[in-house]
Amino acid sequence: MVTVNLIPESVQAAQARRRHIKWWAACLAVTTVVAVVPVGAHLMQHLRIDELHAQNYKFQTDLAAARVELKTATAAANDSFLRIERAKALRTKRAWSDMLALIGSCLPKDCWLTSIATDPDVPPAASLARKTPPASATPGAPAPEKPAVVIIDAPRKLRMTGEATDATQPLSFVTKLKESQVFREVTLERSISSSPHGSRTVGLTLGEKTEDESNFRFELICEW
């Protein structure tokens, strides 16, 4: 069978050219898409990296601020703890008003005190004993600080001086203080007559009398 193409040669050339242009256009489009996708992905990754860097910087700034706040809060908490422990230690100390009331009730008639003082007069300053913090569970992480334990050293003796009109009154005073069972030990250190003829130490036996009508100065120590 013989095929006769009646289309002019110029028209056929134009058709072939159009087909070639379409084919090259399709190839160029595919190549462009293939090239643009990796470039776009690369740009998106760079944008994501920049965003992550900005977030990391913000997190680091917030972390530094949180550490400063934590340090301040820890110092305030430790200070509050020390104040509470100091207050507890002071509350557990002896009530001096009750102590003075007890001494006044034990003081015999015609016997009075001229001074009451702790021994030593000024107790040592409060000392702080810090417990050793436990090892941190995370290597390299700072161990949490433990609040210091407050120890307040208080005097253990009370020194009293006074005068009495009778030599037996200081001994009676000592006896009543011992019977109160508040003190561990009560010691009469001295009892001296304030006679105009000169001071003289008198006997300390209960029931002993003296013919001198002068007052007797005494000094005693109470320990608890």
Side-chain angles (χ1 to χ4, degrees), residues 83-128:
R83 291 177 182 273
I84 292 173
E85 291 300 316
R86 200 172 287 120
K88 288 181 180 179
L90 291 175
R91 281 199 299 268
T92 56
K93 292 177 67 177
R94 292 183 178 273
W96 288 105
S97 57
D98 296 340
M99 180 78 70
L100 295 177
L102 172 67
I103 294 173
S105 64
C106 296
L107 195 64
K109 186 180 179 181
D110 297 331
C111 183
W112 60 93
L113 298 178
T114 57
S115 69
I116 301 178
T118 57
D119 188 7
D121 296 339
V122 179
S127 58
L128 301 179

Side-chain angles (χ1 to χ4, degrees), residues 71 74-75 78 130-134 142-148:
K71 185 176 181 180
T74 302
N78 287 341
R130 184 175 295 277
K131 294 181 180 179
T132 303
E145 292 187 1
K146 290 294 183 180

Side-chain angles (χ1 to χ4, degrees), residues 55-73:
Q55 290 182 357
N56 181 55
Y57 177 76
K58 182 177 180 300
F59 290 153
Q60 291 294 335
T61 304
D62 294 342
L63 179 60
R67 285 177 176 172
V68 173
E69 292 180 359
L70 177 61
K71 185 176 181 180
T72 303

